[in-house]
Amino acid sequence: MSIQLTAKSLFEVVQDAKITSPRGFTAAGVHSGVKRKSLDLGAIICAVPATAAAVYTTNAFQAPPLKVTQESIGVEGKLKAFVVNSGIANACTGERGLQDAYQMRQKTAELLGIPPHQVGVVSTGVIGEYLPMEKVLNGLERVVNEAETEGGELFAKSILTTDTCTKKVEVSAEIDGKEVKIAGVAKGSGMIHPNMATMLGFVTTDAVIDPNHLQSLLWQTTDETFNMITVDGDCSTNDMVVAMASGLAGNHPLHPQHPDWKKFQSAFSYVCQELAKKIARDGEGATRLIEVKVDGASSVEMARKIAKSIVGSSLVKSAVFGADANWGRILCAAGYGDPIISPDSVDVCLGPVSVVKGGLPAEYDEAAASEVLKQEKVEIYVSLNMGEQKATAWGCDLTYDYVKINASYRT
Amino acid sequence: MSIQLTAKSLFEVVQDAKITSPRGFTAAGVHSGVKRKSLDLGAIICAVPATAAAVYTTNAFQAPPLKVTQESIGVEGKLKAFVVNSGIANACTGERGLQDAYQMRQKTAELLGIPPHQVGVVSTGVIGEYLPMEKVLNGLERVVNEAETEGGELFAKSILTTDTCTKKVEVSAEIDGKEVKIAGVAKGSGMIHPNMATMLGFVTTDAVIDPNHLQSLLWQTTDETFNMITVDGDCSTNDMVVAMASGLAGNHPLHPQHPDWKKFQSAFSYVCQELAKKIARDGEGATRLIEVKVDGASSVEMARKIAKSIVGSSLVKSAVFGADANWGRILCAAGYGDPIISPDSVDVCLGPVSVVKGGLPAEYDEAAASEVLKQEKVEIYVSLNMGEQKATAWGCDLTYDYVKINASYRT
């Protein structure tokens, strides 16, 4: 992706990112009592009905709130509010869980005096427990009342589970001579794998864009960003990414033939990519971000599959944790990612260090290779030399702390 | 599988298992110097050309020794010797690695005075390093000389890498009124996943059976046994299972219409299944064997996919290590294993404890469920209630020691 190279000319990255920067949005986060202490209920509210698009988990056990959100967006592709609770996922909770999600939607709509279909709902946390509805409904009153333009940080905190930090990005771009802002916030730390595993992403913008174009853009961008991260190979029941566009920036409606479409697309993609990388870096127990770039593939699908195989390999992840330049594991993972690659033409570099050339061990300095693996961001390059297609995937190392966190998540 | 239920009537399990028990076989294991101290070179030798069959890794980076073995067996489906080294996998070693594997085969053939195509070769260990051929060739002289009927234990030791114990099974069955013996030995501990990941299996028998029937039987059995285990999702470059039949038991040639075929098949399958389970139980860092039984699937493929998804989930594996009855993770893993299952009809039991009924949380005693997860063998049952098909998969828990072992394998 050439986005970062040309980023400066296309858009500006804003330092103190806020989900509420795009015109029209307010947010809040409160402690409702789902969790013992920390913030557990948040809302993003838009002053006008915002164009909305979303991507959902492919897991068969899709949680009830996702069904409710799909129904809401399905009505007219607009949302004025999105409410989220953390601590309990409201997944595998059947009819009662579905009614609970409807009730969260209904209560929010009543508080705001809007139709229920303008409200989206999502939950994250432990699977198979029912929500303490009285606490949640009381919490909703507070969260709706407290929503304000400075509430982005509280919202970002309220959606976390095992995350160690909030994840925020903001950019601004000039579209039709108007300033358009795009901001994003995400959570996700474990149960993370391609296809929207337990992670939530929220993108707000004040651009004018219709629901169909926003949905297409979100699908395409998700494939290259959120779907290219993996922490542990587990794809969750609750994942979703939602985008809301208030349309208050005053630009001409955006679509692929709009002269600034590429600019908007790049800025939007940057927001999603940075959120995805932040999620990968904050993988449970992780100490490093791993970035795997595969090029020379004969199809994009092949490049993606191999990049994800490598970044998802427990052995590669453990080797990175130990700063052991065990490139054999990288080749091995590439090999089960796609059995039709040609082993004799593969090159592998760890950062600047060439470790495999034409499928054979290269002469290299072990200390230099190990040094690459000790960086905060570990870069692995795999050239298949078969075609022109490429892909990038992100993940993290596998550490003692991953095991520790997951051996006792509920207790 | 009903094999174990009816095992007693079909065949007998021999306590002190030896790969050399079937008539005609001798074995040995020596320290050649590939590894620093432990045994690293072994051989199984048959007094007569044994009917041979093998199954190989599907990894694109199939190691050179596997190519050489395929070539050998391809000539006439017979082997008189199989040599194995551990410590270095001779994988990703290109033309030089291929020549090294040919040289191992040639040397063994010369020492035994047999054609090279009656020798099979395999290696296991670190990827991307060349074999120290002088040490290996000297070692081969000793291993061929030392092969004897009591050499099974040394052979079993010589093929190990990060394994903590040898893995052996032996059974005997009456076929045509003759005693037929089947014995097996295996290694494998990390990089283990369906489709023959770094694991080696050797099965010897004195049954009379032609190469085609032995090959079909091995394929079918491997799908239900060795391909149903996973330790870490990594499928290796070097895996193979080989079966050798000396034909010295004097039975009428075995084939699917032979009256004792079912008996032989059950005994053969038992040997492979027990080896597979021993490999899973000895997964790197593992403290427990996990057995996942899926039934009520609409196809065998669906049942296998879901069983493997569950047993391979890092979150399920961590939860078992922590004895945390987090059944949500089991459902979640089932859901990404196959997105067309019907969530509302799924039942889950941990051993005798029903934790999910019809896709919803069941009332159960948390302590009792946790107790199940503390057993040496943890049994997870998933009923899809959609059809008649079923499958079983085996794996192990994910522990601190897995990370420790793999963060510093080479160093």
Side-chain angles (χ1 to χ4, degrees), chain B residues 185-331:
Chain B
V185 57
K187 68 83 49 177
S189 179
M191 218 187 253
I192 286 172
H193 195 56
N195 301 319
M196 313 292 307
T198 306
M199 48 139 293
L200 302 176
F202 300 90
V203 179
T204 56
T205 177
D206 42 24
V208 180
I209 181 169
D210 79 32
N212 291 341
H213 291 126
L214 187 62
Q215 183 66 55
S216 303
L217 179 63
L218 185 62
W219 267 324
Q220 191 193 326
T221 309
T222 298
D223 271 347
E224 294 170 358
T225 57
F226 294 114
N227 282 348
M228 290 304 290
I229 58 175
T230 182
V231 167
D232 52 18
D234 280 278
C235 167
S236 128
T237 52
N238 287 54
D239 305 330
M240 67 177 292
V241 175
V242 61
M244 294 166 73
S246 71
L248 297 176
N251 57 293
H252 295 297
L254 282 155
H255 55 79
Q257 281 72 45
H258 188 292
D260 287 333
W261 176 253
K262 279 272 167 219
K263 197 189 275 186
F264 182 71
Q265 193 185 23
S266 300
F268 189 88
S269 177
Y270 177 84
V271 167
C272 293
Q273 188 183 114
E274 288 303 303
L275 291 177
K277 283 157 74 173
K278 283 172 195 282
I279 291 170
R281 172 60 186 85
D282 195 31
E284 287 169 350
T287 66
R288 294 178 189 120
L289 174 69
I290 305 177
E291 181 174 84
V292 177
K293 284 181 183 280
V294 171
D295 65 24
S298 38
S299 71
V300 172
E301 292 65 35
M302 181 189 196
R304 285 183 184 162
K305 213 171 150 200
I306 292 172
K308 286 198 280 194
S309 254
I310 295 170
V311 89
S313 156
S314 294
L315 290 167
V316 170
K317 290 154 63 73
S318 303
V320 168
F321 174 54
D324 177 12
N326 197 332
W327 57 261
R329 294 178 177 174
I330 296 171
L331 278 195

Side-chain angles (χ1 to χ4, degrees), chain A residues 28-32 39-43 84-86 104 136 139-140 143 158:
Chain A
V30 301
H31 173 251
S32 74
L39 301 190
D40 55 21
L41 189 68
V84 194
N85 80 274
S86 59
M104 281 175 75
V136 171
L140 283 174
V143 86
S158 73

Side-chain angles (χ1 to χ4, degrees), chain A residues 152-193:
Chain A
E153 185 62 23
L154 291 176
F155 176 80
K157 283 183 181 154
S158 73
I159 64 176
L160 306 182
T161 55
T162 53
D163 305 63
T164 65
C165 58
T166 58
K167 296 157 187 76
K168 300 171 297 173
V169 190
E170 184 185 338
V171 301
S172 78
E174 204 183 285
I175 308 276
D176 295 332
K178 313 276 185 186
E179 186 195 32
V180 164
K181 292 177 176 177
I182 308 175
V185 57
K187 67 80 52 175
S189 177
M191 215 187 254
I192 286 171
H193 194 57

Side-chain angles (χ1 to χ4, degrees), chain B residues 288 323 325 353 365-378:
Chain B
R288 294 178 189 120
V353 183
D365 176 10
E366 191 78 38
S370 177
E371 198 49 49
V372 170
L373 301 184
K374 288 180 185 148
Q375 301 305 307
E376 163 71 21
K377 179 180 169 194
V378 173

Side-chain angles (χ1 to χ4, degrees), chain A residues 219-258:
Chain A
W219 267 325
Q220 191 191 326
T221 308
T222 298
D223 271 348
E224 293 169 359
T225 57
F226 294 113
N227 281 348
M228 290 304 289
I229 58 174
T230 182
V231 166
D232 52 18
D234 280 277
C235 168
S236 127
T237 51
N238 287 51
D239 303 330
M240 68 175 293
V241 175
V242 62
M244 292 166 75
S246 70
L248 297 176
N251 57 292
H252 295 296
L254 281 155
H255 54 79
Q257 281 73 46
H258 188 292

Side-chain angles (χ1 to χ4, degrees), chain A residues 75-277:
Chain A
V75 175
E76 49 168 353
K78 303 263 181 188
L79 290 181
K80 277 194 83 171
F82 209 101
V83 291
V84 194
N85 80 274
S86 59
I88 289 180
N90 190 11
C92 303
T93 44
E95 185 53 32
R96 176 170 156 194
L98 187 62
Q99 291 312 321
D100 288 347
Y102 275 125
Q103 225 186 324
M104 281 175 75
R105 182 173 79 157
Q106 180 66 31
K107 177 77 176 184
T108 308
E110 283 168 13
L111 289 165
L112 289 167
I114 57 175
H117 72 255
Q118 289 185 354
V119 180
V121 183
V122 75
S123 302
T124 176
V126 175
I127 295 174
E129 290 183 13
Y130 297 111
L131 285 169
M133 285 309 292
E134 201 180 317
K135 290 176 182 171
V136 171
L137 297 177
N138 287 336
L140 283 174
E141 291 199 25
R142 286 165 45 219
V143 86
V144 166
N145 282 333
E146 291 173 19
E148 52 157 342
T149 51
E150 292 306 310
E153 185 62 23
L154 291 176
F155 176 80
K157 283 183 181 154
S158 73
I159 64 176
L160 306 182
T161 55
T162 53
D163 305 63
T164 65
C165 58
T166 58
K167 296 157 187 76
K168 300 171 297 173
V169 190
E170 184 185 338
V171 301
S172 78
E174 204 183 285
I175 308 276
D176 295 332
K178 313 276 185 186
E179 186 195 32
V180 164
K181 292 177 176 177
I182 308 175
V185 57
K187 67 80 52 175
S189 177
M191 215 187 254
I192 286 171
H193 194 57
N195 301 320
M196 313 291 310
T198 304
M199 47 141 292
L200 301 176
F202 300 89
V203 180
T204 55
T205 177
D206 42 23
V208 180
I209 180 170
D210 78 30
N212 291 341
H213 291 127
L214 188 63
Q215 183 65 57
S216 303
L217 179 64
L218 185 63
W219 267 325
Q220 191 191 326
T221 308
T222 298
D223 271 348
E224 293 169 359
T225 57
F226 294 113
N227 281 348
M228 290 304 289
I229 58 174
T230 182
V231 166
D232 52 18
D234 280 277
C235 168
S236 127
T237 51
N238 287 51
D239 303 330
M240 68 175 293
V241 175
V242 62
M244 292 166 75
S246 70
L248 297 176
N251 57 292
H252 295 296
L254 281 155
H255 54 79
Q257 281 73 46
H258 188 292
D260 287 332
W261 176 255
K262 279 271 165 220
K263 199 190 273 184
F264 182 71
Q265 192 185 26
S266 299
F268 189 88
S269 176
Y270 177 84
V271 169
C272 294
Q273 189 183 111
E274 288 303 302
L275 290 178
K277 282 156 74 171

Side-chain angles (χ1 to χ4, degrees), chain B residues 34-35 40 85-89 124-127 129 131 160-161 409:
Chain B
V34 178
K35 288 184 190 165
D40 56 21
N85 80 274
S86 60
I88 289 179
T124 177
V126 176
I127 295 174
E129 292 184 10
L131 285 169
L160 305 182
T161 55
Y409 178 57

